[in-house]
Amino acid sequence: MNPGITTLLALLLTGCTSMESLYSYLGQTEQVSAQTPGVAVTRTQPPRLESLSFFSSRRFAANRAEPCARQLMQAPEQDPEPIGYVGEDVLNARGMIEVNNRELGILPSRYRIRFQMAELSQKNGTTYGFSQIRVARQDALNLGNHDFITIPPAGRTTQQVYLELQRLYQQLDACVAG
């Protein structure tokens, strides 16, 4: 039997594993934390993820930013109008994205990530900032379901949210570029 599979089965059978250790065992070693560039964490106890920001060298284009935001983000349930403000050098919007996933590769789950987003023109590009980030989770067995909650500064959920908002930023940036 493959030594990797043997080790994985031993970890699962002994109960000494968590999603974090399994995640790192499967080769995902670059974990998001308060030290990751663009990640801001609250000073409250317990600390929580405050915001994420990403930078693009592409110039902000207000005429493209609004249609792209409408196309790529859903409006939160309580707010049918996601765009708060669009100016020559800024776009403010409230949004949500849904992500279908599989826990441990088998258990279907769905994440809904709600956030406030600002695209800000900078001298040499655009900053995409996400704040007021909350996540809701639902799985097929109702084991880890919860409504929108704040996010810890590190861990599997934080990693998932970071990757999904990074993907959204990249899609928005490519859309604005045309």
Side-chain angles (χ1 to χ4, degrees):
M1 183 180 273
N2 180 325
I5 293 174
T6 304
T7 304
L8 182 59
L9 287 173
L11 284 171
L12 291 171
L13 290 174
T14 61
C16 296
T17 188
S18 69
M19 291 301 285
E20 313 309 333
S21 61
L22 181 60
Y23 191 79
S24 61
Y25 176 77
L26 294 174
Q28 305 293 331
T29 56
E30 188 106 6
Q31 294 289 314
V32 173
S33 70
Q35 288 70 45
T36 303
V39 173
V41 174
T42 65
R43 293 180 184 232
T44 60
Q45 290 301 320
R48 295 288 175 215
L49 181 67
E50 179 72 21
S51 64
L52 298 173
S53 63
F54 304 97
F55 180 77
S56 169
S57 59
R58 290 193 175 108
R59 302 286 298 160
F60 178 79
N63 63 328
R64 298 276 307 146
E66 183 175 359
C68 290
R70 288 186 188 281
Q71 173 188 344
L72 295 169
M73 299 182 327
Q74 299 173 11
E77 299 94 358
Q78 76 278 9
D79 188 1
E81 178 51 49
I83 306 299
Y85 175 78
V86 180
E88 289 183 26
D89 60 354
V90 66
L91 175 134
N92 285 317
R94 290 166 298 287
M96 186 174 74
I97 56 175
E98 290 189 15
V99 180
N100 292 315
N101 200 3
R102 291 201 176 270
E103 303 296 328
L104 296 175
I106 55 172
L107 180 63
S109 63
R110 180 177 78 148
Y111 287 89
R112 291 178 296 148
I113 304 167
R114 192 171 61 193
F115 51 85
Q116 177 78 27
M117 183 191 72
E119 290 181 43
L120 303 169
S121 177
Q122 304 291 324
K123 181 179 179 180
N124 55 353
T126 304
T127 297
Y128 293 78
F130 297 91
S131 62
Q132 299 176 24
I133 305 166
R134 305 289 185 269
V135 66
R137 182 179 182 281
Q138 186 175 29
D139 66 50
L141 298 178
N142 295 324
L143 296 175
N145 293 357
H146 55 77
D147 202 7
F148 288 99
I149 60 170
T150 58
I151 304 162
R156 187 179 59 83
T157 300
T158 307
Q159 185 77 21
Q160 176 82 25
V161 167
Y162 181 90
L163 293 173
E164 293 304 331
L165 290 178
Q166 182 181 50
R167 183 175 299 129
L168 175 60
Y169 135 73
Q170 291 166 341
Q171 291 171 336
L172 286 165
D173 196 50
C175 181
V176 168

